[in-house]
Amino acid sequence: MEIGTLTAGGSAGTRLGAHQPHLLPLADRVLEDTTPATLAGHDVVFLALPHGKSAELAAQLGDDTVVIDCGADHRLADPAAWERWYGGTHAGSWPYGLPELPGARDALRGAKRVAVPGCYPTAVSLAMAPAFAAGIVEPEVVVTAVTGTSGAGKSLKPHLLGAEVMGSLSAYGVGGVHRHTPEMVQNLSAAAGAAVSVSFTPVLAPLPRGILATCTARTQTSAAEAVEVYAKAYADEPFVHLLPEGSWPATASTLGANTVHLQVTVDPDAGRLVVVAAIDNLTKGTAGGAIQCMNLALGLSETSGLPIAGVAP
Amino acid sequence: MEIGTLTAGGSAGTRLGAHQPHLLPLADRVLEDTTPATLAGHDVVFLALPHGKSAELAAQLGDDTVVIDCGADHRLADPAAWERWYGGTHAGSWPYGLPELPGARDALRGAKRVAVPGCYPTAVSLAMAPAFAAGIVEPEVVVTAVTGTSGAGKSLKPHLLGAEVMGSLSAYGVGGVHRHTPEMVQNLSAAAGAAVSVSFTPVLAPLPRGILATCTARTQTSAAEAVEVYAKAYADEPFVHLLPEGSWPATASTLGANTVHLQVTVDPDAGRLVVVAAIDNLTKGTAGGAIQCMNLALGLSETSGLPIAGVAP
Amino acid sequence: MEIGTLTAGGSAGTRLGAHQPHLLPLADRVLEDTTPATLAGHDVVFLALPHGKSAELAAQLGDDTVVIDCGADHRLADPAAWERWYGGTHAGSWPYGLPELPGARDALRGAKRVAVPGCYPTAVSLAMAPAFAAGIVEPEVVVTAVTGTSGAGKSLKPHLLGAEVMGSLSAYGVGGVHRHTPEMVQNLSAAAGAAVSVSFTPVLAPLPRGILATCTARTQTSAAEAVEVYAKAYADEPFVHLLPEGSWPATASTLGANTVHLQVTVDPDAGRLVVVAAIDNLTKGTAGGAIQCMNLALGLSETSGLPIAGVAP
Amino acid sequence: MEIGTLTAGGSAGTRLGAHQPHLLPLADRVLEDTTPATLAGHDVVFLALPHGKSAELAAQLGDDTVVIDCGADHRLADPAAWERWYGGTHAGSWPYGLPELPGARDALRGAKRVAVPGCYPTAVSLAMAPAFAAGIVEPEVVVTAVTGTSGAGKSLKPHLLGAEVMGSLSAYGVGGVHRHTPEMVQNLSAAAGAAVSVSFTPVLAPLPRGILATCTARTQTSAAEAVEVYAKAYADEPFVHLLPEGSWPATASTLGANTVHLQVTVDPDAGRLVVVAAIDNLTKGTAGGAIQCMNLALGLSETSGLPIAGVAP
């Protein structure tokens, strides 16, 4: 693979190194405008645009170009859900870029268009899909997912300043209003074959990157049976790792890696299955997942170029 | 008030400043052994001992001494619960030191013995008790509480080292095995007047202190009604603060303060009440709560010596 | 003391709690515009304005009002230095608000105008002034001061975002270009009675607040003699604390306190005195120092309302 | 390359994943004892032992085995310096594993023994060697180097606990007593061709990994000339990167990469050259540098297997 044109919005015309000095090999490349002309002639194009902007651009790139959309435009299959959560007209859904979901991988092989999932839905869907596919939980999921602040991107808001973030934990988007919620509902309902509700609370914590999702649902299964279900579901997955008994996920173990670390148990007093999943929101949660999808779309080895050892401590 | 003898276990014989250099006015005081003799002659004694050690020591201090126990020995009323969670024989329960719980304050006025609650139960009980007292939720609570690492004290364990903690989020005590769970069950069941189950998952985050608890339960109430319930429940409480509409708690706002910052809403899609509570685990979560109880026990103003403005950012 | 009118620039008209939710007792107060009219009628006015704005406003407040300026306008005595570093016309110097400097306290007693020092000059001047006053070092100081990110205020710049700050250390203002440099030169030259040069490098570290300054200069003194000099210089100072032998300052010990923690030694191989000073840049480094000056200006006890125990861990 | 036997001291007999869960591909490998027998039969052996332990073990491995020592035993050429700083008998010096130092690379090509430098000496030596080699500074260097806490390893000490480290900056090993000092003196004296003194102050900051070294020395050179010297010195080095004018190093840009980010200027008022260097102490500062040396020792491409793009933010 060769990295082609790099484009930007407001930063077009500047060096990549001015924004991402860690990307030393590309630091002197100048960012171009994001237009059909600058994107033309590439085999694969990755988009990360504000919602509502991908469809038109993709249409102009032609059907021979593989377009991997890291934005939200084509993730939801239901036009009504799209319109409720994002407003405007639904531009249609593309194959959903989470190969580890039941049935998802086949649709991604050779695909010309891929909708990469949001970071929270990646963690939560992989955490709960096996339980729903196996029919061992009731269809009401409660999720609290704690995240580092890179999930908010580089938007300049006072509450994202270092001095505000460090030494503090805060909730946001509480009460089912986060736009990643319908993606979780869609994925888990598909796994369950029936409507699933998701109560989702995101929490902002003082670290640069990482998501730790704690997910629970009522169950009558034992812990041992639950572990069995998950071990089987992910036995052949290169990036999803059920931890050894007694070990619980830590996001640092996934830093820079395209992996999901999982553990599962049952709380018999509360009658609930509890699954904890850790990912790096910038790797498996976005950019790494996008590469994985590209590999499938191009018929390459799915794991090419994707680390599974994290950078820790 | 005058600070009397300072005692310790393994650190007896050393300067306080060797361990807590920030306590400048007391830094040169030498720690004595924790014995009935060194504790004798004080009006108030604060204990923070491993579980199973408070009862005998308190018995030797006499009934004229106010004993405020920051440990777990006397928090649970049910001997069976005690024995299940801690082992050994239950030493009996003392008035429970969370004055903001329904009916709790009266038992603390003039008390000679007080059992200060654990840090998690403080946050979770105050977050959910009003909903149960008002009968607006079903008796199954799901809690994920994120905490800074001071909650684990100064125990020398590899996973508590700075290099392991910073840049990482991890779950621990998952599946209903954390010893603070029965305290939450006890408090919320008392508020509800019926058995309540609590699914509790603690998460360790990279900050020194602070707990952010996200608590949900099924409800048919509206958000507006829920806000009304909480506004009424805490209208006269000096330390419990329901935030203005649209604001959500951040632990930094409670740093060094004896406050609880709360917000509540309803997720109509998931049919759940969501309450988020922030505290400083070392102030309202332990030491500040202990001072508040002492004030009540001695008949002083309940707010004496307790900040309500936090140290932020 | 009673807190009077609270004013702001761009945030005038909003609740204080929208910006500083930790200041619970004042959270519902609405910020007014910063004008002579809104500031009139107060005994003391604190200013924290962009440079060049204090003089005119102060002139309109009248000579009966004590004006404590947290900005830079009146810190430098030398008009040429002011014009070089800030541009524009020098508005004149006011009594310099660092009472612990040789001779400074008397000028602050009963003062109607006070220029509170910058945060870095507070730490560095107190770290090095005794050595110069005692004549034990050569007049070339090398300083590296590491700071938390609140020193940059709430300016919305990409490099101050949490995701950029956490997990990173970076230098800025390198090569003698930081505007706090001439303040250090002024203070240390005054202590030495001769021109002193200061090589100053600030470093940004991932914590909300705190400054740790490491300061060195050539010496022929022994470590024991140096300790003696510092012990004597600060023996009667309530806020400056020379740590016991073998202990080195940590900023957490000063969090929320108006203290300076100091330690000093000599590196015989390099022939240099090394002094390390820790402060909380928002307390002794600004707001606490301002209160201390107000106490002196009003003839109150200098330590009124100022903590000396920090909030740690 | 194939990873052979993994060995340990006290952790022998346990899974690697119990200590380093991020190393997923090796997590189930069991650690063996560190003995000549378990290490026999490998082409390359990496040692990271307490000082004084490498020589005897290396002797038993035979001359055909390349031994890369990450410990201190063979770094100092001067037996007297070794004995002063470490005690015991000097085991002799090995080729010093910092290829970017003047003349160092040739000694590493085909070497059978390599002494990998300490993390601080890596940053400081590369920061200052070009200035000394070019003769543009006086022979007294002042260094303050700020470091993340992984530099202290996994030793269980109270001051390294997360709750103590986060939110705090502290100095340690002040006054020329840190054992990395003589390594800096050795390297810079070699570059200068004359004795150089180094005043070194290390500072502990709240991040997992990274070193930012600020280094100054008296000069009469201009900033432009200094930049020229550094640009020339490192023009062909794949891992040492002089940043564009106006950019200063941040450790996050080197996270997980084998790079050194540098910038240099002159403070004309203070008459000093100031160089700032950033490295990842666990990559270029130890393990990455060790791989680089192995590549040279085996005659492989020097950059094999070593990232130059960092993991940020």
Side-chain angles (χ1 to χ4, degrees):
Chain A
M1 303 296 303
E2 190 186 336
I3 294 177
T5 307
L6 302 174
T7 76
S11 299
T14 63
R15 292 172 61 251
L16 179 62
H19 313 283
Q20 312 281 6
H22 60 292
L23 298 176
L24 211 51
L26 302 170
D28 288 330
R29 297 270 292 270
V30 174
L31 301 169
E32 303 187 25
D33 281 311
T34 305
T35 65
T38 57
L39 297 177
H42 294 82
D43 298 315
V44 185
V45 168
F46 293 91
L47 299 178
L49 299 170
H51 67 82
K53 303 288 184 192
S54 295
E56 190 186 344
L57 191 56
Q60 296 178 265
L61 293 176
D63 290 344
D64 288 346
T65 309
V66 171
V67 181
I68 313 276
D69 189 5
C70 298
D73 285 12
H74 305 284
R75 293 174 187 160
L76 297 181
D78 178 3
W82 169 266
E83 283 160 29
R84 173 182 167 198
W85 289 90
Y86 291 95
T89 306
H90 187 222
S93 70
W94 291 354
Y96 192 77
L98 198 46
E100 296 87 354
L101 284 184
R105 188 170 273 115
D106 283 346
L108 295 166
R109 291 192 209 279
K112 291 297 184 185
R113 297 288 183 271
V114 177
V116 178
C119 52
Y120 287 124
T122 295
V124 173
S125 302
L126 295 179
M128 292 304 295
F132 282 110
I136 61 173
V137 286
E138 295 182 17
E140 300 185 16
V141 181
V142 178
V143 175
T144 294
V146 192
T147 186
T149 65
S150 62
K154 287 200 156 183
S155 52
L156 294 173
K157 295 177 185 161
H159 79 284
L160 295 176
L161 286 172
E164 301 295 308
V165 165
M166 292 182 291
S168 197
L169 298 162
S170 56
Y172 71 102
V174 187
V177 301
H178 194 288
R179 279 171 168 164
H180 282 178
T181 309
E183 249 181 282
M184 301 176 200
V185 169
Q186 166 182 288
N187 298 345
L188 298 181
S189 297
V196 169
S197 77
V198 177
S199 163
F200 173 55
T201 306
V203 170
L204 198 65
L207 70 168
R209 51 206 266 184
I211 287 177
L212 192 86
T214 65
C215 313
T216 80
R218 287 191 59 80
T219 190
Q220 298 189 354
T221 308
S222 70
E225 287 167 340
V227 167
E228 186 73 16
V229 163
Y230 278 76
K232 205 165 153 190
Y234 292 129
D236 298 328
E237 289 296 342
F239 295 121
V240 185
H241 182 65
L242 183 65
L243 292 172
E245 194 186 339
S247 294
W248 286 88
T251 60
S253 295
T254 68
L255 182 62
N258 198 49
T259 50
V260 185
H261 285 216
L262 279 177
Q263 187 54 288
V264 56
T265 193
V266 168
D267 176 344
D269 289 331
R272 297 187 81 92
L273 180 85
V274 188
V275 189
V276 179
I279 64 167
D280 179 343
N281 56 302
L282 298 185
T283 314
K284 181 62 179 167
T286 324
I291 300 294
Q292 186 181 354
C293 291
M294 177 196 75
N295 289 340
L296 286 166
L298 297 180
L300 305 173
S301 161
E302 188 174 338
T303 58
S304 293
L306 291 167
I308 65 170
V311 176
Chain B
M1 304 295 304
E2 190 187 335
I3 294 176
T5 306
L6 303 174
T7 75
S11 300
T14 63
R15 292 171 60 251
L16 180 62
H19 313 284
Q20 312 280 7
H22 61 292
L23 299 176
L24 212 51
L26 303 169
D28 288 329
R29 298 270 292 271
V30 173
L31 302 170
E32 302 187 25
D33 280 311
T34 306
T35 66
T38 58
L39 297 176
H42 295 81
D43 299 314
V44 185
V45 169
F46 294 91
L47 300 178
L49 299 170
H51 67 83
K53 303 287 184 194
S54 296
E56 190 185 344
L57 190 56
Q60 296 178 266
L61 293 175
D63 291 344
D64 288 346
T65 309
V66 172
V67 181
I68 314 276
D69 189 4
C70 299
D73 285 14
H74 306 283
R75 294 174 187 160
L76 297 182
D78 177 4
W82 168 267
E83 284 160 28
R84 174 182 166 199
W85 288 90
Y86 293 93
T89 306
H90 188 221
S93 69
W94 290 355
Y96 192 77
L98 198 46
E100 297 87 352
L101 283 184
R105 187 169 275 114
D106 283 347
L108 295 166
R109 292 191 208 281
K112 291 296 184 185
R113 296 289 184 271
V114 177
V116 178
C119 52
Y120 287 123
T122 295
V124 173
S125 301
L126 295 179
M128 292 304 296
F132 282 110
I136 60 172
V137 287
E138 295 183 16
E140 300 184 17
V141 181
V142 177
V143 176
T144 294
V146 192
T147 186
T149 65
S150 63
K154 288 198 157 183
S155 52
L156 294 174
K157 297 176 184 162
H159 79 284
L160 295 176
L161 287 173
E164 302 295 309
V165 165
M166 293 184 288
S168 197
L169 298 162
S170 56
Y172 71 102
V174 188
V177 302
H178 194 288
R179 280 171 168 165
H180 283 178
T181 309
E183 250 181 282
M184 301 176 199
V185 168
Q186 167 182 287
N187 298 344
L188 298 180
S189 297
V196 169
S197 78
V198 176
S199 163
F200 174 54
T201 308
V203 170
L204 199 65
L207 70 169
R209 50 205 267 184
I211 287 177
L212 191 86
T214 65
C215 313
T216 81
R218 287 190 58 81
T219 190
Q220 298 188 353
T221 308
S222 70
E225 287 167 340
V227 167
E228 187 71 15
V229 163
Y230 278 76
K232 204 166 155 188
Y234 292 129
D236 298 329
E237 289 296 343
F239 296 121
V240 185
H241 182 65
L242 183 66
L243 291 173
E245 193 186 339
S247 294
W248 286 87
T251 60
S253 294
T254 68
L255 182 63
N258 199 49
T259 50
V260 185
H261 286 217
L262 278 177
Q263 186 53 288
V264 57
T265 194
V266 168
D267 176 344
D269 290 331
R272 297 187 81 92
L273 181 84
V274 188
V275 189
V276 178
I279 64 167
D280 178 345
N281 57 302
L282 298 184
T283 313
K284 181 62 179 167
T286 323
I291 300 294
Q292 186 181 353
C293 292
M294 177 197 76
N295 289 340
L296 286 166
L298 297 179
L300 305 174
S301 161
E302 188 174 337
T303 58
S304 293
L306 290 168
I308 65 169
V311 176
Chain C
M1 303 295 303
E2 189 187 336
I3 294 176
T5 306
L6 303 174
T7 75
S11 299
T14 63
R15 292 172 60 251
L16 178 63
H19 313 284
Q20 311 281 7
H22 60 292
L23 298 176
L24 213 50
L26 303 169
D28 288 330
R29 298 271 291 270
V30 173
L31 302 170
E32 302 187 26
D33 280 313
T34 305
T35 66
T38 57
L39 298 176
H42 294 81
D43 297 315
V44 184
V45 169
F46 294 91
L47 299 178
L49 299 169
H51 67 83
K53 303 287 185 192
S54 295
E56 190 186 344
L57 191 56
Q60 296 178 267
L61 293 176
D63 290 344
D64 288 347
T65 309
V66 172
V67 181
I68 313 275
D69 189 4
C70 299
D73 284 13
H74 307 282
R75 293 174 187 160
L76 297 182
D78 178 4
W82 167 267
E83 284 160 29
R84 174 183 165 196
W85 289 90
Y86 292 95
T89 307
H90 188 222
S93 70
W94 290 355
Y96 192 76
L98 198 47
E100 295 88 352
L101 284 183
R105 186 169 275 114
D106 283 346
L108 295 167
R109 292 192 208 279
K112 291 298 184 185
R113 297 289 184 271
V114 178
V116 178
C119 51
Y120 287 124
T122 296
V124 173
S125 302
L126 295 179
M128 291 304 295
F132 283 109
I136 60 173
V137 287
E138 296 182 15
E140 300 183 18
V141 181
V142 178
V143 176
T144 294
V146 193
T147 186
T149 64
S150 62
K154 287 200 156 182
S155 52
L156 294 174
K157 296 175 186 162
H159 78 285
L160 295 176
L161 287 172
E164 301 297 308
V165 166
M166 292 183 289
S168 197
L169 298 161
S170 56
Y172 70 102
V174 187
V177 301
H178 194 289
R179 281 171 167 164
H180 282 178
T181 309
E183 251 182 281
M184 302 176 199
V185 169
Q186 166 182 288
N187 298 344
L188 297 181
S189 297
V196 169
S197 78
V198 177
S199 162
F200 173 54
T201 307
V203 170
L204 197 66
L207 71 168
R209 50 205 267 184
I211 287 177
L212 191 87
T214 65
C215 313
T216 80
R218 288 191 58 81
T219 191
Q220 298 188 353
T221 309
S222 70
E225 287 167 339
V227 167
E228 187 71 17
V229 164
Y230 279 75
K232 205 165 155 188
Y234 292 129
D236 298 329
E237 290 297 343
F239 296 122
V240 185
H241 182 64
L242 183 66
L243 292 173
E245 193 185 339
S247 294
W248 287 87
T251 61
S253 294
T254 68
L255 183 62
N258 199 50
T259 50
V260 185
H261 285 217
L262 278 177
Q263 186 55 288
V264 57
T265 194
V266 167
D267 176 345
D269 289 332
R272 296 187 81 91
L273 179 85
V274 188
V275 189
V276 179
I279 64 166
D280 178 345
N281 57 303
L282 299 184
T283 313
K284 181 62 178 166
T286 325
I291 299 293
Q292 186 181 353
C293 292
M294 178 196 75
N295 289 340
L296 286 165
L298 297 180
L300 305 174
S301 160
E302 187 174 338
T303 58
S304 293
L306 291 168
I308 65 169
V311 176
Chain D
M1 303 294 303
E2 190 187 336
I3 294 176
T5 306
L6 303 173
T7 76
S11 299
T14 64
R15 292 172 59 251
L16 178 63
H19 313 284
Q20 311 281 7
H22 60 292
L23 299 177
L24 211 51
L26 303 169
D28 288 330
R29 298 270 293 271
V30 174
L31 302 169
E32 301 187 25
D33 280 312
T34 305
T35 66
T38 58
L39 297 177
H42 295 81
D43 297 315
V44 184
V45 169
F46 294 91
L47 299 178
L49 299 169
H51 67 83
K53 303 289 184 191
S54 295
E56 189 185 345
L57 190 56
Q60 296 179 266
L61 292 176
D63 291 344
D64 288 345
T65 308
V66 172
V67 181
I68 314 276
D69 188 4
C70 298
D73 284 13
H74 306 285
R75 293 175 187 160
L76 297 181
D78 177 5
W82 167 266
E83 283 160 30
R84 174 181 166 198
W85 288 90
Y86 292 95
T89 307
H90 187 221
S93 70
W94 290 354
Y96 191 76
L98 198 46
E100 296 88 352
L101 284 183
R105 187 170 275 114
D106 282 347
L108 296 166
R109 293 191 208 279
K112 291 298 185 185
R113 297 289 185 269
V114 178
V116 178
C119 51
Y120 288 123
T122 295
V124 173
S125 301
L126 295 179
M128 291 304 295
F132 282 109
I136 60 172
V137 287
E138 295 182 16
E140 300 184 18
V141 182
V142 178
V143 175
T144 294
V146 192
T147 186
T149 64
S150 63
K154 288 199 155 182
S155 53
L156 294 174
K157 297 177 184 162
H159 79 285
L160 295 176
L161 286 173
E164 301 297 309
V165 165
M166 293 183 289
S168 198
L169 297 161
S170 56
Y172 70 102
V174 187
V177 302
H178 194 289
R179 281 171 167 164
H180 282 179
T181 308
E183 248 182 283
M184 302 176 200
V185 169
Q186 166 183 287
N187 298 344
L188 297 181
S189 297
V196 170
S197 78
V198 177
S199 163
F200 174 54
T201 307
V203 170
L204 197 65
L207 70 169
R209 51 205 267 183
I211 287 178
L212 192 86
T214 66
C215 313
T216 81
R218 287 190 59 82
T219 190
Q220 298 188 355
T221 308
S222 69
E225 286 168 339
V227 167
E228 187 71 16
V229 163
Y230 278 75
K232 205 165 154 188
Y234 292 130
D236 298 328
E237 288 296 343
F239 296 122
V240 184
H241 181 65
L242 182 66
L243 291 174
E245 193 186 339
S247 294
W248 287 87
T251 60
S253 294
T254 68
L255 181 63
N258 199 49
T259 50
V260 185
H261 286 217
L262 279 177
Q263 186 55 287
V264 57
T265 194
V266 168
D267 177 344
D269 289 331
R272 295 188 82 91
L273 180 85
V274 188
V275 190
V276 179
I279 63 166
D280 178 345
N281 57 304
L282 298 184
T283 313
K284 181 62 179 168
T286 325
I291 300 293
Q292 184 181 354
C293 292
M294 177 196 77
N295 290 339
L296 286 165
L298 296 180
L300 304 175
S301 160
E302 187 174 338
T303 58
S304 294
L306 290 168
I308 65 169
V311 177

